[in-house]
Amino acid sequence: MCRHLGWLGAAVPVSSLVLDPPNGLLVQSYAPRRQKHGLLNADGWGVGFFDGPVPRRWRGANPLWGDVSFASVAPALSSSCVVAAVRSATAGMPIDAGAAAPFTDGHWLLSHNGVVDRSVLPLDPLAESVVDSAVLAALIFRRGLDDLGSTIAEVGAADPGARLNIMAANGSRLLATTWGDTLSVRRRPDGVVLASEPYDDHPDWQDIPDRHLVDVRDGSVSITALPH
Ligand code: GLN
């Protein structure tokens, strides 16, 4: 399982979300605290952020801690909406930068933490990679993010062994699901962070129950149970 993070709020340097916190994604890439599947996340990483309405991505196939450029440039990349992930590849999946989240349809950035049997998903020529997460992302993009909860419940019913933890954003809205793994939310004065696990020990972090949808927009956070 991977670890991922989403931010919606004021413009902040991406390094302040990903690299600087004591237990941020950088540390989670080698010492996650709550990960249930896998010991580390060394099979790649991706940081996506909105530049106005345009999603931009920087991804790599190597461990985030070994990247020679990201730490230098990240403090200069500021955004009000970020989706980032560190990856522990599922057995049999390709390990290349194109298989690392976040995926995009040109409007949304999307990360999947989990595993799904690709045979329950439609083949989609728009999938960015053959990795299960990219095929799932293509289905979610095709159905539309307004239907994220029902799409996840449907895929979960078709593959009872699936773990379907999604993080997605389009610059003005941040959505996440819990389906088999952890997620926490922190409401900060300047915005909202969703993360597979808290990036520090601040008391404001709140755990999201399993099989829920989190929808952040216009400064408010709604948490609802998914059908199952
Ligand atoms: N199945 C996806 C992959 O192989 C995600 C893996 C994960 O969540 N660790 O990349």
Side-chain angles (χ1 to χ4, degrees):
M1 301 290 266
C2 312
R3 304 276 81 185
H4 56 201
L5 170 140
W7 166 255
L8 186 61
V12 296
V14 298
S15 51
S16 72
L17 298 168
V18 174
L19 301 179
D20 302 342
N23 290 92
L25 283 182
L26 173 61
V27 173
Q28 289 170 32
S29 68
Y30 55 84
R33 295 192 290 179
R34 296 195 180 176
Q35 192 154 335
K36 296 181 188 163
H37 303 267
L39 295 175
L40 69 168
N41 299 289
D43 299 322
W45 59 278
V47 174
F49 58 95
F50 284 85
D51 172 17
V54 181
R56 301 196 185 279
R57 293 178 291 174
W58 188 346
R59 297 179 291 164
N62 294 316
L64 179 56
W65 72 77
D67 192 90
V68 295
S69 301
F70 181 70
S72 163
V73 178
L77 301 174
S78 284
S79 179
S80 58
C81 186
V82 175
V83 174
V86 289
R87 179 175 182 221
S88 168
T90 299
M93 297 295 159
I95 300 182
D96 55 43
F103 304 99
T104 190
D105 65 349
H107 304 282
W108 287 86
L109 292 167
L110 187 149
S111 169
H112 167 228
N113 161 17
V115 59
V116 59
D117 180 349
R118 286 171 291 186
S119 70
V120 307
L121 303 173
L123 275 178
D124 193 325
L126 293 182
E128 291 188 285
S129 162
V130 298
V131 68
D132 58 349
S133 303
V135 181
L136 177 63
L139 175 66
I140 293 168
F141 292 147
R142 217 173 258 284
R143 296 273 177 91
L145 273 290
D146 284 337
D147 286 335
L148 176 62
S150 50
T151 303
I152 290 305
E154 197 181 302
V155 173
D159 176 7
R163 298 192 296 271
L164 304 166
N165 307 279
I166 302 295
M167 182 76 66
N170 70 350
S172 58
R173 191 173 176 195
L174 175 63
L175 290 164
T177 60
T178 52
W179 194 283
D181 208 339
T182 53
L183 182 73
S184 299
V185 58
R186 179 170 162 193
R187 296 166 176 86
R188 296 187 353 190
D190 57 345
V192 177
V193 197
L194 300 177
S196 301
E197 54 186 79
Y199 62 51
D200 60 18
D201 291 328
H202 196 283
D204 283 356
W205 288 101
Q206 178 194 343
D207 294 342
I208 307 294
D210 198 32
R211 300 203 174 189
H212 277 65
L213 174 76
V214 186
D215 190 348
V216 184
R217 54 178 152 178
D218 301 327
S220 74
V221 181
S222 93
I223 302 169
T224 51
L226 288 171
H228 65 277

